[in-house]
Amino acid sequence: HNLDHYKDTQDQIRWQEDQILSRFYMQKIVLKNFPPGDDSLRAFYARVKTARYSKPGDVNVQEIYFDNPDTARAVRKQLDNGGDFSALATRYTKRATAKDTSGYLGWFKTNRYGAIGQKAAEMTPGQIEGPFTVGTGWSIIKLIDKKPGESKSFESIKNTVKQDYIDTYRPQLIEKNIKQLEEKYHSELHYQALDSIS
């Protein structure tokens, strides 16, 4: 019936061919040797273990909260020159709930209080950090003590790590390949034309 000569039929055949070629190109060219072996997966696991595969630890923090960055920097200089954290917290902190406790926030999980919890998780007891932005203000914190969280072992979550690795790096590899092709063939996407296709 000469169906193969119809434009709609030819378009459908071409579209199917393009899908097969596109899949093959992705698997054999763009994503060749992807995902990598255990060594790369272990390195990825080590980098993101605390954030993704660990229960948060606990930290005991003392804070001085400011509504003015210049005051925060001046107080940091005093601390660097041996100033007493508790006395400076009582005098300067704008956090009403901590003013009467010399800035002590007490124990909390590292996944709480945003930047404060994140910074405290990376600090060692006695260390002072800041000033850094917290909400609409600035904080200087001192880590009093910490209890580490529990991490899942690589072996117990290997499949999850592999999928997270793929989700993280696959789009980057595809984007890199697209840019290389654009540079090689001087191609350009015409977004207005694409938007007009219904």
Side-chain angles (χ1 to χ4, degrees), residues 119-197:
K119 292 259 186 208
E122 298 166 2
M123 295 167 64
T124 55
Q127 185 179 346
I128 296 173
E129 280 290 329
F132 56 89
T133 305
V134 174
T136 58
W138 293 264
S139 282
I140 298 174
I141 61 172
K142 180 178 181 180
L143 182 66
I144 308 304
D145 201 1
K146 73 191 300 186
K147 298 172 189 170
E150 295 176 19
S151 298
K152 297 176 182 175
S153 71
F154 174 77
E155 272 69 26
S156 70
I157 56 166
K158 183 177 174 181
N159 289 337
T160 301
V161 173
K162 184 176 181 179
Q163 189 58 53
D164 289 347
Y165 187 99
I166 290 168
D167 293 345
T168 301
Y169 292 110
R170 187 177 188 274
Q172 292 176 19
L173 285 172
I174 294 169
E175 181 69 22
K176 181 180 174 185
N177 181 260
I178 290 169
K179 286 183 179 175
Q180 288 171 342
L181 291 174
E182 285 175 347
E183 289 171 11
K184 182 176 179 180
Y185 296 106
H186 308 290
S187 62
E188 187 179 339
L189 286 176
H190 295 278
Y191 291 101
Q192 282 183 318
L194 287 172
D195 289 342
S196 71
I197 299 171

Side-chain angles (χ1 to χ4, degrees), residues 63 65 92-100 105 116 134 139:
E63 179 207 32
Y65 182 74
Y92 287 103
T93 192
K94 298 295 183 184
R95 197 177 297 282
T97 55
K99 197 165 191 71
D100 295 336
L105 301 179
I116 295 174
V134 174
S139 282

Side-chain angles (χ1 to χ4, degrees), residues 12-156:
Q12 285 294 320
I13 291 169
R14 178 61 193 265
W15 186 86
Q16 293 294 338
E17 289 173 346
D18 286 349
Q19 296 309 303
I20 293 166
L21 289 170
S22 175
R23 251 192 327 273
F24 186 84
Y25 178 74
M26 279 294 163
Q27 291 168 356
K28 302 296 182 185
I29 310 294
V30 180
L31 301 175
K32 186 178 180 182
N33 302 320
F34 185 84
D38 278 5
D39 289 345
S40 294
L41 292 177
R42 283 180 189 279
F44 174 76
Y45 166 81
R47 273 196 315 276
V48 301
K49 177 172 74 171
T50 302
R52 290 193 184 187
Y53 310 121
S54 300
K55 290 182 181 176
D58 294 294
V59 287
N60 187 2
V61 172
Q62 195 174 8
E63 179 207 32
I64 311 173
Y65 182 74
F66 305 88
D67 57 10
N68 181 302
D70 295 329
T71 307
R73 286 189 285 272
V75 170
R76 179 60 198 243
K77 283 184 185 174
Q78 292 182 53
L79 290 166
D80 290 342
N81 292 323
D84 180 77
F85 200 101
S86 295
L88 291 168
T90 301
R91 180 175 175 192
Y92 287 103
T93 192
K94 298 295 183 184
R95 197 177 297 282
T97 55
K99 197 165 191 71
D100 295 336
T101 60
S102 302
Y104 283 97
L105 301 179
W107 287 95
F108 59 90
K109 296 284 183 194
T110 55
N111 62 347
R112 293 189 63 205
Y113 301 120
I116 295 174
Q118 291 169 13
K119 292 259 186 208
E122 298 166 2
M123 295 167 64
T124 55
Q127 185 179 346
I128 296 173
E129 280 290 329
F132 56 89
T133 305
V134 174
T136 58
W138 293 264
S139 282
I140 298 174
I141 61 172
K142 180 178 181 180
L143 182 66
I144 308 304
D145 201 1
K146 73 191 300 186
K147 298 172 189 170
E150 295 176 19
S151 298
K152 297 176 182 175
S153 71
F154 174 77
E155 272 69 26
S156 70

